[in-house]
Amino acid sequence: MAINVDTVYKTVLLILNKEQRGYVTPDEFNKIGTQVQLEIFEKYFEDLNQQMRIPENDSEYGNRVKNVDEKISIFKTIQSLAPSWIVGTNEFDIVQSPATITPTVHRIGTVIYKDEQELEKVERNDWLRLNMSKLTRPTADYPMYLYEDNKIIIQPSNLIKENPLIPGTIIDEFNLSYIRKPADVNWAYTVLGNGAYSYDSINSQDFEIDDTDQTEVILRVLIYMGIVIRDPQIVQAAAQQATMEEQNQKS
């Protein structure tokens, strides 16, 4: 479940106001909230890598690898590569093409052919070496791809078949699985006659990361807000609490 952006903003303001620490505008909060979400989101992958090195816990709710993977699962996406085809080539531009997959791609997963075959990902040096010999050159049975500069290049190129019914398009046979970035946090508002901000739930964007991280979100936002209002005491207090929360999670 997501973390309600209004809950976080009002909780943080309550803490700041109670301690008479100052005020942070919605626009400042949105920028800080987006940054905090990205930091916690990226930490999921570090935590997953760390937990995979530890002997597995088979209990239903205590399996940390499974728990972290569940946090990432909401961002797992699969989408057709066909709209991203660069006409006349064996390349797909997943960012700059007219019908892009969008620049929200965070990590590439798997390129899949006909929903049944996984293409092998290779680096540039392997790409050149494998193509030098007929024995190792990619085939329809053993295809491969190279990922560079937001482009996916597929070999053998004859796997890509143009659609005879719609010029400039291809038959939809390639899919890409990937991890998308979380949407930017947005506490939307309208301004009332007295100048006060009124929360607009329709146009707002909640934190997409897991709701179990709500405490960490609030603490990290407080750290940044302490910097904004130039109050070292609130930065120190929030940083210490955030460190304790992280240590408790890993112990």
Side-chain angles (χ1 to χ4, degrees), residues 10 124 185 246:
K10 288 180 177 176
R124 173 61 69 177
V185 173
E246 184 171 349

Side-chain angles (χ1 to χ4, degrees), residues 40-110:
I40 296 175
F41 173 66
E42 187 59 38
K43 194 164 73 71
Y44 287 165
F45 300 95
E46 297 173 7
D47 291 345
L48 183 61
N49 182 51
Q50 182 183 32
Q51 294 303 324
M52 290 181 70
R53 302 176 187 176
I54 301 173
E56 187 174 351
N57 183 336
D58 293 328
S59 62
E60 185 174 5
Y61 301 110
N63 188 321
R64 294 188 176 184
V65 172
K66 184 181 74 172
N67 292 342
V68 176
D69 187 64
E70 286 178 355
K71 291 183 177 183
I72 298 173
S73 64
I74 186 177
F75 304 100
K76 294 179 180 180
T77 307
I78 187 166
Q79 192 165 332
S80 170
L81 280 173
S84 301
W85 180 53
I86 301 176
V87 178
T89 72
N90 62 330
E91 300 181 12
F92 299 90
D93 190 331
I94 65 172
V95 172
Q96 299 298 330
S97 61
T100 180
I101 287 180
T102 77
T104 62
V105 174
H106 183 67
R107 299 194 180 203
I108 292 292
T110 305

